Amino acid sequence: MITYNTDGVKWPDIRKRPLTAWIKQVAASYGKRVGEIGYLLVDDEHILEVNRQYLGHDYYTDIITFDYSEGDTINGDIVISVDTVRTNAEQQGTTFIEEMYRVLIHGILHLCGLNDKGPGEREAMERAENEALKIIK
């Protein structure tokens, strides 16, 4: 089950039923089944506090993924800053909705086992995001 919540921000103009189907399709393409996924959309100050409290990082970010997956079932909490997503969209010359889809699936890709910190991992993550985005468009 996938839940979608907000705290201090408005849910973007993205329909949840097609979003859920897309997420399940992408996870299945990695041989994963969706268990319990919780999305929480927040503002910059909220995600900064989460980053400080749980990760010991003192900076803003667009997404934080907490992975509780077991075997082939992905489970996790995904916190997304709507403010940072909006800023990133402006900087990258894309729409807010397109960038939001990218970040929404970015967390799922992390739960499916992809990383983006090591050598070549960021490029692999971007390719995976782009492939997933082709499905939703």
Side-chain angles (χ1 to χ4, degrees):
M1 180 162 111
I2 302 175
T3 58
Y4 303 97
N5 295 289
T6 61
D7 185 7
V9 298
K10 184 177 169 269
W11 181 259
D13 189 21
I14 295 175
R15 293 179 37 235
K16 294 174 186 170
R17 186 166 287 149
L19 176 60
T20 296
W22 177 54
I23 289 167
K24 289 179 177 180
Q25 183 179 356
V26 171
S29 74
Y30 288 88
K32 304 292 184 179
R33 193 173 67 77
V34 171
E36 298 291 326
I37 306 288
Y39 280 99
L40 177 61
L41 274 56
V42 299
D43 62 15
D44 269 350
E45 293 311 311
H46 189 138
I47 206 162
L48 178 61
E49 184 54 38
V50 170
N51 216 2
R52 286 176 177 156
Q53 182 176 352
Y54 294 99
L55 303 176
H57 300 158
D58 193 24
Y59 53 82
Y60 297 99
T61 187
D62 52 355
I63 183 170
I64 298 172
T65 304
F66 296 97
D67 188 352
Y68 314 122
S69 299
E70 296 178 8
D72 290 337
T73 302
I74 60 171
N75 300 290
D77 290 318
I78 300 171
V79 184
I80 296 173
S81 170
V82 172
D83 296 335
T84 300
V85 170
R86 185 169 281 111
T87 300
N88 290 349
E90 291 168 6
Q91 291 174 348
Q92 296 169 16
T94 188
T95 69
F96 167 72
I97 294 297
E98 287 175 13
E99 185 63 15
M100 182 57 73
Y101 274 117
R102 179 176 298 278
V103 175
L104 286 162
I105 208 62
H106 182 92
I108 296 301
L109 292 169
H110 273 307
L111 297 178
C112 288
L114 279 76
N115 293 309
D116 57 2
K117 302 290 187 220
E121 290 178 340
R122 179 175 295 281
E123 294 81 5
M125 176 65 85
E126 279 185 31
R127 282 191 302 275
E129 291 168 355
N130 290 336
E131 285 303 309
L133 289 168
K134 288 178 188 175
I135 298 168
I136 197 71
K137 290 184 179 183

